Amino acid sequence: MKFILIILTLFFGKVLSQRTIPEAYKRIPEVLDNTELLYPFIIPDKKYEYWSVFRNNPDPDKAIIYESQAPEYMTINDPAPEKGFFQQCLGEDCFAYLIACENSRSKYFSNEKQLRDFIGTVDNLPEAILIANTYGYTVDVTNQLGSSYKIENHYILMYLSKVKGNTDIKESFLVKINKKTGKLESKSSRIYQQ
């Protein structure tokens, strides 16, 4: 009898503890789980003559991730910085960085905070995801707990995930981004497996 009681307690505990995503939330499109596909949606707060996102690759054709419409007379030949945002490893193809041209002078954006400053106000869902990425949150298209969003007047709310160590266990977070300031707040939602 004790065994059946324990099984029922575990079963109902698991069922009752599972929170679902509220109906007002939509699924984040699968294409937005790739950080490199988010850059074209950036609408910088400042007016730049030109800006580009690069990866640290010595081959110029492979280095460009995205570039805005550049005037024909303008070319940026600055060397890659030693570090960048979304640092994954050491060596080639390990991070990204942004170069913007303002008043005919190039300016580097090579860490997560500088990328957030470049974005400024949050104009759309891809910008919100990119800002969340700078804090380690990712879109998990395999589970609604890691890939849902709702846009309100002053905030973009998203359910995103973080991987727990070197496991297949993830933690879902409700991430709230202020559209005007870009400030991020988060609250743990629940733990789940991939």
Side-chain angles (χ1 to χ4, degrees), residues 21 25-28 143-150 157-160:
I21 305 301
Y25 285 77
K26 300 175 189 171
R27 285 297 290 250
I28 293 174
N143 195 312
Q144 192 175 7
L145 290 167
S147 64
S148 300
Y149 77 98
K150 177 172 85 169
L157 296 109
M158 301 174 288
Y159 281 93
L160 300 174

Side-chain angles (χ1 to χ4, degrees), residues 30-76:
E30 282 189 32
V31 70
L32 298 182
D33 75 335
N34 182 339
T35 304
E36 291 188 1
L37 300 178
L38 301 174
Y39 298 117
F41 296 97
I42 294 176
I43 303 169
D45 275 352
K46 286 179 137 184
K47 183 72 175 160
Y48 293 100
E49 297 162 51
Y50 170 75
W51 61 275
S52 289
V53 182
F54 297 91
R55 71 177 56 84
N56 67 321
N57 190 309
D59 182 344
D61 293 331
K62 293 180 181 176
I64 296 173
I65 297 173
Y66 173 78
E67 59 185 338
S68 68
Q69 191 69 18
E72 288 182 31
Y73 61 88
M74 187 176 296
T75 305
I76 297 176

